[in-house]
Amino acid sequence: MADGRGDRKFPAFPFQPYSIQIDFMNALYSSLDRGGISMLESPTGTGKTLSIICSALQWLADQKEKQKYLPSNPDQNGSSGDQPNSDDEPDWIRNFVVTKNDKVDDRKPTKKKYGVAIGKAEKRKNGESRKNLSSRSAEDKDIPTARKIDNVQKNDAGEELDEKEFLLEEYQSEDEEIGGVGRSKRKVGGVSVSSSSEEDDNQSDNEDEEGRLKVYFCSRTHSQLSQFVKELKKTSFASDMKVVCLGSRKNFCINEDVLKLGNSTSINERCLELQKNKKTEASKVKNLCTGGTARRTKATSGCPMLRKHKLQRQFKDQLSQQGAMDIEDLVHLGHSIGTCPYYGSRSMASVADLVILPYQSLLSKSSRDSLGLNLKNSVVIIDEAHNLADSLISMYDAKITSSQLEDVYFHLKSYLEKFHNLLGHGNRRYIQTLVVITQGFLQTLNEDCKDRASCPEDAGKFSNAKLLSDSSMAINDFLFELNIDNINFLKLLNYVKESNIIHKVSGYGSKLSTQQTDNMLNNNRAVGEDESTLSSFRALADMLLSLTYKNGDGRIIISRARTTASGLQGGYIKYVMLTGEKIFSEVADEAHAVILAGGTLQPVEETRERLFPWLPLDQLNFFSCNHIVPRESILPVAVSRGPTGRFVDFSYTSRSSPAVIEELGLLICNLVTVVPKGIVVFFSSFDYEGQIYNAWNASGILDRIKKKKRVFREPRKSNEVELVLKEYKETIGDPSSSRDLKSSTLNGAVLLAVVGGKVSEGINFSDGMGRCIVMVGLPYPNPSDIELVERIKHIDSLGDSNLSTPKFSVMDENDGGDAQTGFQILRSCGQKGKAYYENLCMKAVNQSIGRAIRHIGDYAAILLVDKRYALNPSKGSHPHPTNKLPKWIKDSFVPSTDSYGEVHRLLHQFFKFNKK
C-alpha cells in the first residue's frame, strides 16, 4: 500500500492502515535506513506491534533483495570471528573435540576470554596481589596431582573413589598481563570444533550467520513476546521469513522432574547438571586441520529430552516448515516429538531472519555469549522501552544473603579440611582466598551498626529498623574496609570458572550432608532463603564479578538481619549497578540500528543521558504520534473530592486515614451505578490494597459494591493472575456467572489491581473489560528504599544540576518514620534527581491507565483520584504531575471539578454518548 511518500509500500499490513500507522511505519523504515539509535513512540492500542513488524521486516526484505545485486563480501553483514561457545550447551552440539595426540607444549600461555562483562577494571591497589597470585615458585613442581591419589591409603575402596570424584585437578596459573589466565591440566590442548553428528548442519549454520542480516525483537515479558508472534501470524512474513522465539528454561522445559523444582534458578542448575551427567562414546578420526587425530564423540545427555539427536533435527525441520511459533507452540512441538524445545529453538537462532527474545537474553552480554547471538550489523528493536535504563542496569545487580554465605563458608572449610593434603599449592591458595572473602562478608553482616562509620548519625531518631541496618559504600571503600583490596579478583574469577570448584565442593557437600543430620546450616535460616549450595556459590561468583567493575559504576548495599512481621529477614550484601551507558554501548556499537519503541518514552532527555549520552539530543531521531481514537472516546478527569465533599488525599501521611479510605469506598459505590461492565482500580501496592479491602469489608462498603458488581483482586503470585483474569472476563461477558450473588442485580465486575503488578504491565482491558480505570493516588516509590536513593543521587550527579529548582508536589509532604530520611535526600537533590523520582511515578501511572483503550472503536473513562492531580491556578508556574501524562490524554483532560456530582454527571453523559 502506498504511504504517500514516493513508492514505499507495506504490502504485508493485513488491513487498511490508519494515517498514524503509515507515519509510524515510514519513520521506522527511515530510521533503519539511517542506522544508529532512534526512539519511536506510539500509544498503546494504536497497532504499534503490527506497524513494527510490517515496517522492519519490509526493510529487511528490501535489503536482502538489494544484496542479490551486490558483489559478495563475507565481512559485510557478519563477523568473521568464531562464534562464542556456550558452557551450558549439551556436548552433542559441540562434541567433536581435538585430542592431544602429539605432544603439546603446556608451557605456552593459553589466552582466553573470560566470557563475562567486566568493563574496564579501575586501577586499585592490587598490583602486589597480581604478583603474588601469578608468580610460580619451585615448590610448584612438587604439587600432588590427581594421579598420585592412588598412593594414598584409604579405609575402603569406596571412600577412595569418592575422593577421586570430588578432588580438584591440578591448577596452574600463568604469568599474563591482566591477572593471568590459569588452567587445569585436563584443559590443555582441548579445543572445540563442530560436532560430528551435526557437522554439516553447524557448518552451514555458521556460514549463514556470517552473511545474514537479521532483526532482533525483544520485550520485557514472555506474554508480550507471545502477543508479538500472534500479530506476526497476521502477516505474510510469518511464512516468508525464518523466525525463532527464544526464552528461559523455565518456560521451555518439558522435563517434568525438572519443572517440579519450581523456581528459575533451580531449573537452570538442574538442567546444567543433567548436561554433565552423560555417557560418551568416542571413535578416532583424522583431523585435517592439525595433522593429528580427533575424537568423534556421541554424548548421551543425562536429560531424557536430549538423548536422541535425530529428534532435535526433526524439531528443527518442523520449526522451519511451520513458520512463526510462540513459546507455547514450541513447547507443544517439543512434547509431540519428545525432545527439548529450549535447545531446539536456540540452535535455530543463527539461521533466523527474525529472532524474538526477552530483554535479558539480548541485553546481557553473558546471555548473548551463551546463546551465540551475533549483533554485528543487525537491527535491534527494544519494545516497552519506557523503563529500559532501570531494566538494563538491574541485570547486572548481584546479591548474596547471609545464609548463602554461611552455606559457602561451611562447605569451603569442610572441603579444605578434608582434601588439604591432597590439593596442589594453587588450589589450596585460591580456596583459602575464597574462605577469607566469605568470612569477611559474614563479619560485615554481623557487625553492629553503631560501630560503623557509615551509619547515619541521627539513626536513633527513626523507629523503623530498615534504615538503621542498611548502608551503602563504593566498591573501593568496601574492599579497603574488609581488607581484601590486595586480591586480584580477575584471576580468582578465572580460577572459579576453569577449576570447576563450584561443582566439586557442592558435590562433596551434598555427599557429606547425607551423613550429617545435624549441622550449622540447619540453624538460623531466614524466612524464604534458598538453601541450594550451588545457588549459593553462583551468588558468590556474581558478587565477585561485581567487585571488578569501575568504582563509580555502582554501589555496595549492606543490609543486616532484622525481625519483621513475617519472621526473621536475613541480611545480605548487594551490588547495585547505577550506570547503563557502557552496557548499552556494547549493543549499540555492534548493531546497525537500535530502535527503542513504546507507548510512553518521554522524557527523552533522561533516557539519552543515562544510556547514550554521547549522542547529542538534536541528533537523536525521535518520533511520536497521537492516538487513533477520537477525543470523544476518552474521558480523563482529576477527582479531588469524594461524594461527601471531602478532599481525597492519598499522600503518605493521609492515605491510612479512615475518613480517606471510606471516601474512596463511597466513590466506588457510586461508580458501580453509572459505569457499565468492568472497572479496574489501581493501588500503589499490595499492602495498601489489602488495607483498603479489609477496611471496606469491615465497614460494609464492600457488600454495597458487590450488590452491583462482582469484586476480584489481583493475586500476589503471578501464576495465579491468569485464572483471576479469566473469571473477571467471563463475569464481564456474562454477569450471571457470579457464584456470590443473584445474577439479576449484577452489572459487570470490579478488579482491584496494583501498579507495577502483572495486570498493570502486560494485560489489555479492551472494550467492556476496562470501561473505567481508577488510579488511586500518585504511586511514588518508597523513599526509604536505599537502592532507589542511590539511583537518585547518581542521576542527580549526571552533569550540573540546576540547584534553584521548583518544588514538586511530592516534596510538600511532612512525612515521618522510615520515609523521612528518603524525603530529606530528595529535598536536597537538584532538578535531575527530583525529576527522576517524579518520572518513576508518572511512568507507572501512564502504563496503568494505558491498559484501557485498545482499538479505534474502544472507549473508556480514566479517573485520577487525588487532590494533587487537580490543577491549582495559584501554582500555575510550578511543574505539575499531569504535565507528564501522554498527549492523547492531556488533550481531553478535565483538570478540575467543583464536586463529585460534576464527575458523576460527566460520566453519565460520556457513557450515554458512546453507548450509541
Side-chain angles (χ1 to χ4, degrees), residues 484-692:
I484 56 174
D485 56 294
N486 62 335
I487 294 176
N488 188 321
F489 287 96
L490 295 179
K491 288 189 68 175
L492 184 59
L493 280 167
N494 190 73
Y495 170 76
V496 171
K497 178 183 177 182
E498 295 291 331
S499 67
N500 202 29
I501 185 175
I502 288 180
H503 289 91
K504 293 288 186 181
V505 176
S506 299
Y508 175 71
S510 176
K511 187 80 171 179
L512 191 65
S513 64
T514 60
Q515 302 171 356
Q516 298 178 346
T517 57
D518 185 20
N519 57 63
M520 61 175 287
L521 296 177
N522 294 325
N523 299 323
N524 300 322
R525 282 287 186 181
V527 175
E529 295 287 2
D530 184 356
E531 298 185 11
S532 166
T533 301
L534 205 54
S535 294
S536 300
F537 273 96
R538 291 188 190 279
L540 178 64
D542 290 341
M543 203 59 220
L544 296 179
L545 175 62
S546 70
L547 297 179
T548 67
Y549 296 139
K550 285 186 62 176
N551 189 50
D553 285 352
R555 300 281 287 183
I556 301 292
I557 306 294
I558 301 171
S559 179
R560 294 174 181 81
R562 65 182 69 90
T563 302
T564 64
S566 58
L568 176 64
Q569 180 178 332
Y572 63 84
I573 299 174
K574 182 174 183 178
Y575 173 79
V576 179
M577 178 68 78
L578 296 176
T579 176
E581 174 186 346
K582 288 182 294 185
I583 304 170
F584 187 79
S585 68
E586 292 174 349
V587 175
D589 291 346
E590 285 290 309
H592 162 71
V594 178
I595 307 296
L596 309 187
T600 307
L601 295 181
Q602 301 188 58
V604 174
E605 172 60 19
E606 178 191 303
T607 302
R608 184 199 69 83
E609 196 161 39
R610 294 183 67 189
L611 293 182
F612 37 93
W614 65 84
L615 182 66
L617 189 59
D618 57 357
Q619 295 182 22
L620 173 64
N621 179 39
F622 178 77
F623 171 85
S624 181
C625 63
N626 214 331
H627 212 292
I628 57 176
V629 298
R631 295 179 58 177
E632 298 79 25
S633 298
I634 310 168
L635 179 62
V637 183
V639 181
S640 57
R641 295 178 183 268
T644 69
R646 186 184 293 119
F647 278 109
V648 282
D649 179 8
F650 294 95
S651 59
Y652 186 83
T653 53
S654 304
R655 64 183 183 182
S656 297
S657 165
V660 172
I661 294 175
E662 181 185 22
E663 198 70 19
L664 177 63
L666 295 176
L667 173 65
I668 303 299
C669 287
N670 279 269
L671 291 181
V672 296
T673 65
V674 67
V675 177
K677 298 196 174 184
I679 301 175
V680 183
V681 185
F682 284 105
F683 296 92
S684 58
S685 68
F686 280 105
D687 288 340
Y688 190 55
E689 184 273 340
Q691 181 183 351
I692 294 286

Side-chain angles (χ1 to χ4, degrees), residues 292-308:
T293 62
R295 187 176 62 217
R296 178 180 303 218
T297 65
K298 287 187 177 181
T300 302
S301 171
C303 178
M305 299 303 163
L306 281 171
R307 287 176 183 161
K308 297 183 179 180

